[in-house]
Amino acid sequence: MRIGTLFISFFIMVLFLFQAYAQNENVLIREEFRDLEDWRPLHFPKIKKHSTYSIVQEEGKTYLRTASIASASAIVHKKEFDVYEYPRMRWKWKAENVYKKGNVKEKSGDDYPLRVYVIFKYDPLRASLGQKIRYGLAKKIYGEYPPHSSLSYIWANRKDEQGIVTNPYADESKMVIREAGPDRIGQWREENVHVVDDYRKAFGADPPAIASVAVMNDSDNTGERSVSYIEYIEVYK
């Protein structure tokens, strides 16, 4: 009996280790916000007041705290990934408030307490002549190529805002509304998305292969303020 019990215990341990290994193989990025070493700031032209991003700890867990006071800026994860090899994302977020003046259809209301971006890299080798001219001019002005396009998963401000919306500032940026309005304010919400499927729905085309993840809390258009949190972000197969 003792040998049988030991064998079963050993088998369970091996199975557990194999499952853990397989799960790790499927996950490319697992950000739990113990620090911000893997993130870089992203500031926008003509916007002088920047949002703040910091690590907070509560009951043994660490979180990303984002705060905006009539400001806008983002943070971008330094690791790029292939969206066809790792097309899925999940994260857990919480917003303390939404914006009274927020409106997905208007430039004056284009602010959100939380956005999780997937930024798709511009590839000059696959660009049309018109794109090469336009992006080349942008590189001369800003020192680097702007993104080819982006998906932003947003916590919208109004309950009636749904679906996928073109950003009022840029046709190359589509917003996927995951949460909307004040009903779930103060609650942790888990999101799970398929980036390639969402891109095809939003743009009617296949996405560029290489992308990166960004987070933003902004209120430069509405002039309001908000605080929000993210517990983790994961990019996986």
Side-chain angles (χ1 to χ4, degrees):
M1 289 293 293
R2 179 175 174 79
I3 294 175
T5 301
L6 288 173
F7 177 79
I8 292 172
S9 299
F10 176 76
F11 177 78
I12 292 173
M13 181 183 71
V14 170
L15 181 63
F16 174 80
L17 290 173
F18 176 79
Q19 289 175 336
Y21 174 78
Q23 184 176 12
N24 288 337
E25 282 290 290
N26 288 332
V27 175
L28 180 67
I29 298 172
R30 171 76 183 187
E31 176 59 71
E32 296 180 335
F33 296 106
R34 294 184 177 90
D35 54 49
L36 291 175
E37 290 297 317
D38 291 329
W39 299 80
R40 62 177 177 85
L42 176 62
H43 299 152
F44 306 107
K46 299 180 181 179
I47 298 180
K48 295 182 179 179
K49 194 171 182 182
H50 302 148
S51 303
T52 59
Y53 300 89
S54 58
I55 303 301
V56 296
Q57 187 171 6
E58 183 179 332
E59 296 180 354
K61 281 191 173 184
T62 54
Y63 306 94
L64 174 68
R65 180 183 187 271
T66 82
S68 179
I69 305 175
S71 61
S73 66
I75 54 173
V76 181
H77 200 275
K78 295 176 183 177
K79 187 170 187 176
E80 295 179 334
F81 64 99
D82 187 322
V83 298
Y84 294 101
E85 188 173 357
Y86 295 92
R88 299 180 180 276
M89 282 180 53
R90 54 187 165 217
W91 66 91
K92 190 174 181 180
W93 59 359
K94 177 174 70 172
E96 290 191 353
N97 63 283
V98 291
Y99 299 130
K100 294 179 180 178
K101 300 176 185 177
N103 188 333
V104 296
K105 297 179 180 179
E106 299 177 359
K107 290 182 178 180
S108 61
D110 184 40
D111 286 335
Y112 309 96
L114 267 177
R115 312 191 203 206
V116 174
Y117 272 95
V118 182
I119 301 174
F120 297 88
K121 190 174 184 179
Y122 167 73
D123 183 358
L125 297 178
R126 299 178 61 185
S128 66
L129 178 60
Q131 286 177 322
K132 288 180 180 178
I133 294 172
R134 184 156 52 94
Y135 279 78
L137 289 172
K139 185 179 181 181
K140 288 182 179 180
I141 295 172
Y142 302 115
E144 61 181 348
Y145 288 121
H148 173 277
S149 51
S150 69
L151 280 177
S152 62
Y153 297 94
I154 66 172
W155 192 307
N157 300 288
R158 302 184 180 192
K159 291 173 64 174
D160 61 344
E161 295 175 330
Q162 298 178 357
I164 299 175
V165 183
T166 301
N167 186 275
Y169 281 97
D171 291 342
E172 297 85 0
S173 180
K174 306 291 185 179
M175 302 183 295
V176 183
I177 298 170
R178 296 297 303 184
E179 303 288 342
D183 289 353
R184 291 169 174 166
I185 288 300
Q187 300 177 24
W188 283 107
R189 304 293 300 169
E190 288 187 291
E191 312 291 343
N192 198 322
V193 301
H194 193 289
V195 172
V196 175
D197 287 352
D198 287 342
Y199 192 98
R200 288 169 176 161
K201 291 175 186 176
F203 290 95
D206 290 337
I210 305 304
S212 54
V213 178
V215 173
M216 185 162 77
N217 177 347
D218 61 316
S219 57
D220 56 309
N221 295 299
T222 60
E224 299 179 53
R225 62 173 66 196
S226 72
V227 174
S228 56
Y229 301 88
I230 297 181
E231 182 178 322
Y232 72 88
I233 297 177
E234 194 169 82
V235 176
Y236 67 107
K237 291 185 178 179

